[in-house]
Amino acid sequence: HNSLSFNKNVMLRKNCSVLPRGWRAWQNLVSTVEETPDPIPTTIKGTIPSWINGSFLRNGPGKFEFGEDRYTHWFDGMAMMHRFHICEGNVTYSSRFLRSDSYVQNSEKNRIVVSEFGTFASPDPCKNIFERFFSRFQIPKATDNAAVNFVKYKGDYYVSTETNYMRRVDPQSLETKEKVDWTQYVAVNSATAHPHYDREGATYNMGNSYGRDGSFYNIIRVPPPEEKEGEEDSAELNGAEVICSIPATEPRKPSYYHSFVMSENYIVFVEQPIKLDLIRFLLYRIMGKSFNQIMVWDPQCDTIFHLVNRHTGKESQVRYYAGPMFTLHQINAFEDNGFLIMDMCCGDDGEFIGDFTLENLRNETGEKMDKFYNSLCRTLPRRYVLPLTVDEDTPLDQNLVTLPNCTATAKQTKPGEVFMTHEELHSDELLQYGGLEFPHINYDKYNGRPYRYFYSCGFGHVFSDSLLKMDVHTKELKVWRYPGLYPSEPVFVASPKATEEDDGVVLSVIITPREDKSTFLLVLDAKTFTELGRAEVPVNIPYGFHGVFNEMG
């Protein structure tokens, strides 16, 4: 691929795109589908390596209405779990809706009775006018519609969203098990759907807490699994603890975050200028507005990087900061010669999250869909470098980053404060593919360690339309892209005899909205990024969020 010669900044902000032929079928990407609870066979084209033995589990919204009620935002759809079971070159597929309290109550009433991220549930019409009025002043219960990711704690699988609730699930049958409330274990009001795992089996996550003393960002540690007495089949998060509580810079406007950074010795919380306006939250409840409308992008604020030793829970007294930016997904982080290197997908305009309404995603004209896409900020891979040895002898106004071939900078602007600028972790070639998101690495072997490759989705339009492999040493790309095919987040699976970082395969579910019931599981050789085989499934699958490979499947 030749590098692009046109102005990069224009590309980043506008990258004006025109919808491809058949764009109307995109509405199928965010449409309700039926579940397939009993495994069905797939049609294999090419070859699925016989050494792959396990289940590719995916999560995302799959139902967007109850009765006459329609959800407003893409994130609100009811969680649907998908399982591609791979064994000896064959693949079966099954799916189930998560039987959350939200799903069950909505189904029983045949209307939306539980509020979601972007949809406010109207008061019960069976109540009288006074009851409906006073219900506006009650704090709504958080949803347990865990449609974001599969996560693992103490050996058990859960599906997760960003409230205080998770649901334990059976990764084989996709059966919904008990609801788990984080507040019963640690003092947090929420938790992310992107925990990190260390090599000893412990799980780390982050969650907010709110109280008289203000708002706090809490780092949670859940210990490794222990032998269950009598192999009791139940959720068990005993031993979970908050190892560090970071006070919000603005107590009434804590930052929104979707994930966090972890290396072998450190956790970094990125306090970004996407704010949750708590006063507005109380007022909007009375006005009948949804949660996404309390999120405010404040480009006057810096981005602050809170550095915490994950073994001691102690936060660094150095204030690391950068210009305003937002990040949803981290790529990797590792330590090198006194520096912490952090790679993440970033953008410069955080107002976009509330824009993913179903109305925008189902625009009836190509011109409107193009306009929506061209209004979105592109997310691109960036590298920030934190110097770990800042003290009273560290000079002022001097670039502290001495790593070879690194253009990221860090300067101590005054004692105890370090301002950082990033390195672009890509060449102009990436701009052809519109930016990237949903990054994935060889996590088991390389998370928190020096690495070379990551895999992601390229966003040439509103929905991802390519798969990308990035070499962070050379910034060279390998690309898989075909018109009319829309891939999911790529997940790397290492081969059992791997000797190099990219020895293995990349799995992605490919959605084909122009053709009915022709979704397929794609298997790419991770090294060459060429297709090995595919497993065609005679069902429709909506566009989803995240997934994992369960080797025990």
Side-chain angles (χ1 to χ4, degrees), residues 130-325:
F130 297 104
E131 290 174 321
R132 291 202 301 272
F133 174 75
F134 284 112
S135 70
R136 300 278 192 181
F137 297 88
Q138 298 171 352
I139 297 176
K141 289 185 178 180
T143 181
D144 64 337
N145 176 37
V148 179
N149 204 358
F150 279 86
V151 297
K152 207 170 185 180
Y153 295 97
K154 291 194 165 187
D156 285 334
Y157 273 102
Y158 298 79
V159 285
S160 178
T161 179
E162 296 186 329
T163 69
N164 55 302
Y165 293 121
M166 300 186 296
R167 276 283 185 170
R168 195 166 71 97
V169 296
D170 185 324
Q172 312 289 340
S173 66
L174 302 181
E175 176 190 355
T176 302
K177 297 194 173 184
E178 66 266 49
K179 180 166 73 172
V180 177
D181 183 352
W182 274 107
T183 65
Q184 302 302 305
Y185 297 92
V186 286
V188 298
N189 298 101
S190 63
T192 82
H194 287 287
H196 276 292
Y197 310 95
D198 69 17
R199 288 174 176 81
E200 290 69 50
T203 305
Y204 294 79
N205 206 341
M206 289 197 64
N208 282 4
S209 60
Y210 311 102
R212 293 180 179 177
D213 297 329
S215 303
F216 293 86
Y217 315 111
N218 304 287
I219 301 174
I220 307 162
R221 180 183 183 272
V222 179
E226 301 172 355
E227 289 294 329
K228 292 185 179 180
E229 294 185 12
E231 291 297 318
E232 182 181 352
D233 183 31
S234 62
E236 200 275 288
L237 296 181
N238 292 329
E241 60 177 334
V242 172
I243 63 171
C244 181
S245 290
I246 302 167
T249 302
E250 294 184 82
R252 293 182 179 178
K253 289 185 178 180
S255 287
Y256 169 78
Y257 56 97
H258 187 69
S259 62
F260 60 99
V261 177
M262 190 172 91
S263 69
E264 289 199 313
N265 294 296
Y266 296 95
I267 285 174
V268 178
F269 169 65
V270 182
E271 190 175 19
Q272 57 191 356
I274 302 178
K275 303 290 186 177
L276 303 176
D277 190 327
L278 300 184
I279 301 299
R280 184 182 291 189
F281 172 68
L282 296 176
L283 293 174
Y284 272 27
R285 169 63 183 168
I286 297 170
M287 297 165 60
K289 299 293 183 70
S290 56
F291 181 83
N292 69 303
Q293 293 174 303
I294 74 166
M295 298 175 71
V296 180
W297 169 246
D298 188 352
Q300 303 304 312
C301 293
D302 294 326
T303 303
I304 303 171
F305 298 79
H306 297 271
L307 177 68
V308 176
N309 184 308
R310 77 173 177 93
H311 305 296
T312 66
K314 184 177 181 181
E315 181 182 1
S316 169
Q317 295 304 300
V318 178
R319 182 180 185 268
Y320 298 94
Y321 68 107
M325 66 85 171

Side-chain angles (χ1 to χ4, degrees), residues 238-537:
N238 292 329
E241 60 177 334
V242 172
I243 63 171
C244 181
S245 290
I246 302 167
T249 302
E250 294 184 82
R252 293 182 179 178
K253 289 185 178 180
S255 287
Y256 169 78
Y257 56 97
H258 187 69
S259 62
F260 60 99
V261 177
M262 190 172 91
S263 69
E264 289 199 313
N265 294 296
Y266 296 95
I267 285 174
V268 178
F269 169 65
V270 182
E271 190 175 19
Q272 57 191 356
I274 302 178
K275 303 290 186 177
L276 303 176
D277 190 327
L278 300 184
I279 301 299
R280 184 182 291 189
F281 172 68
L282 296 176
L283 293 174
Y284 272 27
R285 169 63 183 168
I286 297 170
M287 297 165 60
K289 299 293 183 70
S290 56
F291 181 83
N292 69 303
Q293 293 174 303
I294 74 166
M295 298 175 71
V296 180
W297 169 246
D298 188 352
Q300 303 304 312
C301 293
D302 294 326
T303 303
I304 303 171
F305 298 79
H306 297 271
L307 177 68
V308 176
N309 184 308
R310 77 173 177 93
H311 305 296
T312 66
K314 184 177 181 181
E315 181 182 1
S316 169
Q317 295 304 300
V318 178
R319 182 180 185 268
Y320 298 94
Y321 68 107
M325 66 85 171
F326 75 89
T327 179
L328 294 179
H329 298 113
Q330 317 304 314
I331 302 171
N332 200 6
F334 59 93
E335 299 147 43
D336 184 4
N337 291 315
F339 298 95
L340 178 59
I341 297 168
M342 303 181 300
D343 297 343
M344 58 189 78
C345 297
C346 303
D348 294 319
D349 184 349
E351 290 185 345
F352 75 101
I353 292 179
D355 294 337
F356 282 88
T357 63
L358 291 170
E359 180 182 7
N360 282 337
L361 298 179
R362 294 170 176 167
N363 270 316
E364 294 184 357
T365 69
E367 183 181 355
K368 287 183 178 179
M369 189 68 93
D370 288 337
K371 185 177 180 181
F372 173 54
Y373 172 72
N374 293 326
S375 72
L376 297 173
C377 177
R378 306 295 172 264
T379 53
L380 298 166
R382 292 178 180 173
R383 172 166 288 182
Y384 289 89
V385 179
L386 274 69
L388 296 171
T389 56
V390 177
D391 56 27
E392 63 272 11
D393 298 323
T394 301
L396 296 177
D397 300 318
Q398 178 178 320
N399 184 17
L400 305 176
V401 180
T402 56
L403 295 171
N405 305 314
C406 181
T407 60
T409 70
K411 295 181 180 180
Q412 186 171 220
T413 54
K414 58 184 178 181
E417 294 197 6
V418 175
F419 180 76
M420 302 183 298
T421 65
H422 64 269
E423 173 182 343
E424 300 286 4
L425 206 59
H426 64 90
S427 69
D428 284 355
E429 179 188 3
L430 174 60
L431 305 183
Q432 297 179 61
Y433 305 101
L436 58 80
E437 256 296 351
F438 297 142
H440 202 273
I441 63 171
N442 182 343
Y443 190 95
D444 290 346
K445 290 289 199 285
Y446 289 88
N447 188 60
R449 295 175 174 174
Y451 76 114
R452 183 163 184 172
Y453 304 108
F454 72 87
Y455 313 91
S456 64
C457 287
F459 281 79
H461 217 283
V462 174
F463 295 99
S464 57
D465 59 357
S466 63
L467 291 170
L468 308 174
K469 176 185 180 181
M470 176 70 78
D471 183 330
V472 299
H473 291 179
T474 66
K475 301 181 182 178
E476 293 177 337
L477 279 178
K478 284 186 168 64
V479 182
W480 185 93
R481 180 171 66 168
Y482 290 92
L485 303 183
Y486 298 91
S488 73
E489 172 192 60
V491 170
F492 176 85
V493 181
S495 66
K497 297 180 180 179
T499 58
E500 296 184 300
E501 180 182 343
D502 57 353
D503 281 347
V505 298
V506 168
L507 305 178
S508 176
V509 177
I510 310 299
I511 312 299
T512 57
R514 296 184 197 171
E515 300 179 32
D516 189 45
K517 297 183 178 180
S518 55
T519 306
F520 62 91
L521 172 66
L522 175 69
V523 182
L524 296 177
D525 182 311
K527 190 175 289 290
T528 64
F529 224 53
T530 56
E531 180 174 340
L532 296 173
R534 61 179 67 182
E536 297 177 346
V537 190

Side-chain angles (χ1 to χ4, degrees), residues 7-43:
N7 186 280
K8 178 179 178 182
N9 291 323
V10 173
M11 277 290 290
L12 289 180
R13 294 298 307 167
K14 292 300 177 184
N15 190 24
C16 294
S17 178
V18 178
L19 274 166
R21 181 181 59 81
W23 67 269
R24 288 186 185 278
W26 282 11
Q27 297 184 20
N28 296 331
L29 295 170
V30 286
S31 295
T32 295
V33 297
E34 298 295 323
E35 62 182 0
T36 309
D38 297 319
I40 60 173
T42 64
T43 301

Side-chain angles (χ1 to χ4, degrees), residues 46-62:
T47 302
I48 309 296
S50 59
W51 57 261
I52 306 176
N53 187 15
S55 295
F56 185 31
L57 304 173
R58 293 268 308 153
N59 196 359

